Amino acid sequence: MVDKRTKKTNSELDELSGYKVLPVQISGGASTHYLYFKQHTSKREDPLLPSSRTIYISNVPADATERDLRRLFQGVARVARVVFHSSVGQDAVKVAAATAQATSEMASTSSKGTKGKPKVKATAEAAKAQQVAPLLSSGGSAHVVLLEDVELGAVLGMKAGVREWDIENSHGLARHMLDYGAARPAAADVRADVDAFMARFEEAQYERERMLEQQQNVADADGFIPVVRRARGGKNTDGTASVTAMSTDEAREAGATRKEPATFANLYRFQARERKRDQLADLRRKFEEDKEKIARMRQARQFRPY
């Protein structure tokens, strides 16, 4: 097998089939991971991924985050945003529970006695940093959009050398333990989350009722007074009169007893002529039917005129 990797000068990165080879040293281990990147190209231009300032990276570590890629290109180019691909789905409930658990653990570990009074320094940012980050599939990829077009050349011309890749998220058994704890939050944390949600829900309901109250008997831009629904009983009101929606059975009964609208049969002369013509044709048809009936009865000798 022929190796397509071409060795450049000491100041440039290696190339492999059109990709720049960027080695990174994983912190906490002796292994070296290789990233492969090139300028993003597409037959159809995407406004979210402009080819003039977007690079495509493959073989991204499974635990990579946007912060990791920003740090990787720090001092070379400014990253506007990162779009990861082939990410493994993450349960939102589990992430929220993991954040709550991390907050609780940090609060308990950072409490130090100062004249008998505990001092808690846990913050939302610190808890967010310790929560379970979503994983990418093996050999995942990402698009990195730079801030300016001129920075693309700086990235493609990066100097050779091994970059450091720091590990901040939980790995191995620690990650599984965090997942296990996130799936089984404490009853007090669940109760606090439910109480907070119900408080926000009731506040939103109160605000909605207040807005509907203000809209009653107030004309809109076209001069109409809107009819709003205030309760679950099916009643709509404008503040002075109420309208109740008809049930399905009531609508069916009302449709069955509804009278047919009146029609004017002899409004035009042609209608009168057509009506008389139809009546004459009907009389002739009945006359012919009676003649046939009498003929059949005579043949059966059942015709008795007297």
Side-chain angles (χ1 to χ4, degrees):
M1 181 176 179
V2 180
D3 189 4
K4 297 182 180 180
R5 181 179 301 180
T6 58
K7 194 71 174 179
K8 299 291 182 180
T9 61
N10 296 331
S11 61
E12 298 180 5
L13 294 174
D14 295 342
E15 288 189 9
L16 177 63
S17 300
Y19 286 84
K20 295 286 186 177
V21 181
L22 181 61
V24 293
Q25 186 74 31
I26 304 297
S27 62
S31 61
T32 301
H33 187 86
Y34 292 93
L35 299 176
Y36 305 93
F37 68 92
K38 67 176 182 179
Q39 182 179 0
H40 168 65
T41 57
S42 177
K43 296 181 179 179
R44 186 175 181 180
E45 185 68 19
D46 188 355
L48 298 179
L49 301 174
S51 58
S52 60
R53 55 187 180 95
T54 303
I55 60 175
Y56 173 76
I57 305 179
S58 62
N59 199 32
V60 179
D63 59 343
T65 61
E66 182 173 347
R67 184 179 180 182
D68 296 331
L69 293 179
R70 288 180 180 273
R71 184 185 302 150
L72 182 66
F73 297 108
Q74 186 177 5
V76 179
R78 295 166 297 174
V79 177
R81 62 180 177 274
V82 179
V83 181
F84 290 101
H85 307 288
S86 303
S87 60
V88 180
Q90 191 76 9
D91 190 353
V93 176
K94 184 182 294 186
V95 172
T99 304
Q101 182 184 7
T103 305
S104 177
E105 292 177 355
M106 292 172 60
S108 61
T109 55
S110 60
S111 301
K112 296 181 180 181
T114 304
K115 296 183 180 180
K117 298 181 180 180
K119 184 177 181 181
V120 180
K121 297 183 179 180
T123 60
E125 291 78 7
K128 184 178 180 181
Q130 288 194 6
Q131 74 179 20
V132 180
L135 292 176
L136 302 175
S137 60
S138 179
S141 59
H143 282 91
V144 179
V145 182
L146 305 177
L147 193 61
E148 296 182 1
D149 297 349
V150 295
E151 295 176 334
L152 178 63
V155 172
L156 297 177
M158 291 178 61
K159 303 297 182 181
V162 180
R163 272 72 177 177
E164 292 292 334
W165 187 278
D166 295 332
I167 299 178
E168 296 181 353
N169 301 318
S170 300
H171 290 73
L173 180 61
R175 183 184 182 89
H176 289 291
M177 293 297 294
L178 189 59
D179 287 339
Y180 182 87
R184 298 161 179 81
D189 297 336
V190 176
R191 188 181 300 109
D193 291 341
V194 172
D195 293 341
F197 173 80
M198 293 303 300
R200 293 193 300 269
F201 177 77
E202 292 177 355
E203 183 179 357
Q205 287 292 101
Y206 172 77
E207 184 66 20
R208 179 177 178 274
E209 291 292 333
R210 187 182 65 83
M211 293 180 61
L212 293 178
E213 185 74 24
Q214 293 178 355
Q215 292 178 1
Q216 288 188 358
N217 295 328
V218 178
D220 56 8
D222 297 329
F224 294 94
I225 297 179
V227 178
V228 295
R229 186 170 180 175
R230 295 290 308 281
R232 296 183 178 179
K235 292 184 178 181
N236 300 324
T237 179
D238 62 350
T240 57
S242 298
V243 179
T244 304
M246 184 181 297
S247 63
T248 306
D249 296 336
E250 294 175 348
R252 188 180 296 108
E253 294 177 0
T257 58
R258 184 176 58 184
K259 295 182 179 180
E260 295 295 333
T263 58
F264 301 93
N266 299 325
L267 183 61
Y268 300 100
R269 287 185 179 181
F270 77 91
Q271 290 179 336
R273 290 195 301 268
E274 291 178 354
R275 183 175 59 83
K276 291 180 180 180
R277 184 186 60 189
D278 295 340
Q279 290 178 355
L280 182 59
D282 189 38
L283 288 174
R284 288 177 178 175
R285 181 180 55 79
K286 291 182 179 180
F287 178 72
E288 295 294 336
E289 291 178 355
D290 292 340
K291 284 176 60 177
E292 294 177 359
K293 182 177 180 181
I294 292 173
R296 290 194 300 269
M297 294 176 66
R298 281 179 177 176
Q299 292 178 0
R301 296 181 180 181
Q302 296 179 358
F303 179 68
R304 298 176 182 178
Y306 304 104

